[in-house]
Amino acid sequence: MTPKLPANALTLNERTADLIRHKIVQGEFTPGQRLSEATLSESLAISRNTLREVFRILTKEGLVQHTPNCGVSVAIPSIASIIDIYRVRRLIECQALAQAYPRHPAKKHMRDAVDMALKCRDACDWQGVGTANMEFHMAIVELADSERLNVMFSHILAELRLAFGLLNDPEFLHAPYIESNVKILELFEAGKLQESATTLNDYLVHSERIVLAVYARRLSDSGSFE
């Protein structure tokens, strides 16, 4: 899912940040999870100084946060950030879909992501469905043929996965959108680009409402996500 760049084009810090970002998108790191410098630097085979630089990169992206006397933890998205994420998604994804070249190679990426989601659903692997959903939307952005958009959107997806992680019910969250992704892809493959983009916009509006409603309810019940 993360945009592929030549290994020698990235610094050690960038490669490590990319790896941690990927783990967030895969759901391996969850919102509020403490990140041990000692454990993480050992598992990634890097120095603590390098890891601290990586943490600074990810902090600027809103993916981790540093709390005095508590160390570094995976960030917990705010309602404002969730709203902003969906605003950016509608601007980028819907435009990319509406103006895409119908035979763009990213169409295969979209199809592969849909097939993966269907297989994961049959296996009741809802985390896998969530990862496949991320792949599908990354593929949509790839239709725009912009490396800058690809990199920016990979960061947005990592934030989004953190928002999803707050809900603790991946089946409830992801199951309804499997068929929506199938419909969006079928419209796109049929050359109905504007209709496909309109369907995607409706999908994103509905998804945002669901995420915000569950988020607000949990916050009201517990007072915080800590």
Side-chain angles (χ1 to χ4, degrees):
M1 177 180 305
T2 302
K4 301 297 187 297
L5 295 174
N8 59 5
L10 298 175
T11 66
L12 175 59
N13 291 357
E14 290 168 334
R15 290 198 303 272
T16 306
D18 192 56
L19 179 59
I20 294 176
R21 202 181 293 116
H22 181 70
K23 288 180 178 294
I24 290 173
V25 171
Q26 295 288 317
E28 293 181 40
F29 292 151
T30 56
Q33 179 180 338
R34 305 298 181 192
L35 298 177
S36 164
E37 268 192 18
T39 301
L40 202 51
S41 61
E42 182 178 355
S43 67
L44 297 175
I46 58 174
S47 70
R48 291 198 187 189
N49 285 338
T50 296
L51 183 59
R52 288 172 193 141
E53 289 299 320
V54 170
F55 282 158
R56 277 191 267 275
I57 294 172
L58 297 175
T59 297
K60 290 180 180 179
E61 295 175 10
L63 298 179
V64 304
Q65 57 192 19
H66 180 269
T67 304
N69 303 318
C70 293
V72 175
S73 60
V74 180
I76 298 174
S78 65
I79 287 180
S81 65
I82 293 172
I83 292 172
D84 195 42
I85 287 169
Y86 274 95
R87 181 185 297 118
V88 171
R89 291 187 70 192
R90 285 191 292 271
L91 286 171
I92 295 176
E93 291 188 62
C94 296
Q95 192 81 348
L97 204 54
Q99 297 184 356
Y101 172 54
R103 296 182 181 274
H104 194 288
K107 181 172 70 172
K108 182 180 184 302
H109 189 181
M110 293 169 67
R111 169 56 65 186
D112 289 344
V114 164
D115 291 344
M116 185 195 310
L118 292 171
K119 289 178 182 177
C120 288
R121 180 182 65 181
D122 292 343
C124 293
D125 176 10
W126 298 107
Q127 281 292 101
V129 169
T131 298
N133 186 50
M134 298 281 145
E135 289 283 356
F136 181 76
H137 291 281
M138 188 72 241
I140 288 175
V141 175
E142 289 170 0
L143 293 169
D145 278 324
S146 168
E147 189 57 38
R148 288 182 177 85
L149 278 182
N150 291 346
V151 172
M152 182 183 76
F153 199 74
S154 71
H155 299 177
I156 290 172
L157 285 183
E159 280 193 271
L160 184 64
R161 190 62 184 249
L162 291 180
F164 288 167
L166 295 170
L167 306 187
N168 291 333
D169 192 345
E171 179 178 359
F172 169 79
L173 179 64
H174 298 301
Y177 299 110
I178 298 173
E179 295 304 328
S180 295
N181 288 349
V182 170
K183 181 178 180 181
I184 290 166
L185 177 59
E186 288 176 346
L187 288 169
F188 181 76
E189 290 178 331
K192 299 178 180 179
L193 305 189
Q194 189 56 57
E195 190 175 344
S196 180
T198 299
T199 302
L200 174 60
N201 183 76
D202 294 342
Y203 164 122
L204 292 174
V205 168
H206 184 265
S207 176
E208 179 183 15
R209 288 174 179 167
I210 293 296
V211 173
L212 288 175
V214 176
Y215 185 103
R217 183 163 61 249
R218 281 197 61 199
L219 189 60
S220 175
D221 290 344
S222 64
S224 75
F225 284 102
E226 295 290 347

